[in-house]
Amino acid sequence: MTAKTRIALSSDHAAIDLRRAIAAHITAQGYEAIDIGPTSPESTHYPQHGAAAANLVASGDCDLGIILCGTGQGIMMAANKVKGIRCGVCSDTFSAQMIREHNDANMLSLGARIVDEAQALQIVDAFLGAQFEGGRHATRVDMITALEA
Ligand code: RB5
């Protein structure tokens, strides 16, 4: 993806600081961060925040999404219930690169209780810096999409 790509961002209460750090990081790189919160540190429910960001991506309003919760797992599960979303949790840069290159992931999920800020920013860079390779991988991604029918 190139600069000015619109990136939807959301989290639950467990990841507000890390989400903001990521928003600032990608904004500095020229991406358009669409940070839909939450802003309050009060306990909240990750499914609603995952779905809200996923809907922005599925509708085409945003090109990609980055979502966070404590582990990255719950919010990823919620996002993947939205038709057209392919979201993976990553705690390493190789996985983040591969979910773009092979799985055409349109969302990345991170666990704020799993990775620290420096790791998270590297993972985000790997995700945003990679491109879907198509070819045989497109056949497999199409098979995932067919499961939604
Ligand atoms: C909240 O305590 C926690 O359950 C949530 O952030 C996330 O880790 C769920 O998958």
Side-chain angles (χ1 to χ4, degrees):
M1 288 285 167
T2 55
K4 285 297 168 198
T5 297
R6 281 166 66 85
I7 313 291
L9 286 151
S10 73
S11 74
D12 72 359
H13 55 280
I16 290 174
D17 290 345
L18 184 54
R19 191 193 76 234
R20 286 179 167 149
I22 291 169
H25 179 72
I26 66 174
T27 299
Q29 293 179 354
Y31 292 98
E32 189 175 356
I34 310 299
D35 187 349
I36 57 171
T39 54
S40 162
E42 278 175 40
S43 183
T44 184
H45 306 300
Y46 57 78
Q48 68 194 60
H49 303 294
N55 283 325
L56 288 176
V57 176
S59 70
D61 190 358
C62 289
D63 302 291
L64 296 169
I66 300 173
I67 53 178
L68 308 93
C69 64
T71 59
Q73 300 291 351
I75 201 164
M76 174 274 290
M77 292 177 195
N80 276 321
K81 293 295 183 188
V82 175
K83 200 169 181 179
I85 295 303
R86 290 176 300 280
C87 181
V89 182
C90 294
S91 51
D92 66 275
T93 56
F94 180 69
S95 296
Q97 177 185 338
M98 294 306 286
I99 64 169
R100 287 287 303 128
E101 291 184 355
H102 285 195
N103 313 119
D104 199 16
N106 47 18
M107 296 188 74
L108 167 69
S109 184
L110 295 162
R113 297 172 180 159
I114 307 295
V115 294
D116 63 24
E117 183 177 315
Q119 291 170 318
L121 297 183
Q122 288 177 352
I123 292 165
V124 165
D125 287 348
F127 179 74
L128 295 180
Q131 303 282 340
F132 181 50
E133 291 178 356
R136 70 185 189 281
H137 303 299
T139 303
R140 296 161 186 166
V141 172
D142 287 347
M143 292 170 74
I144 295 174
T145 302
L147 295 171
E148 295 177 336

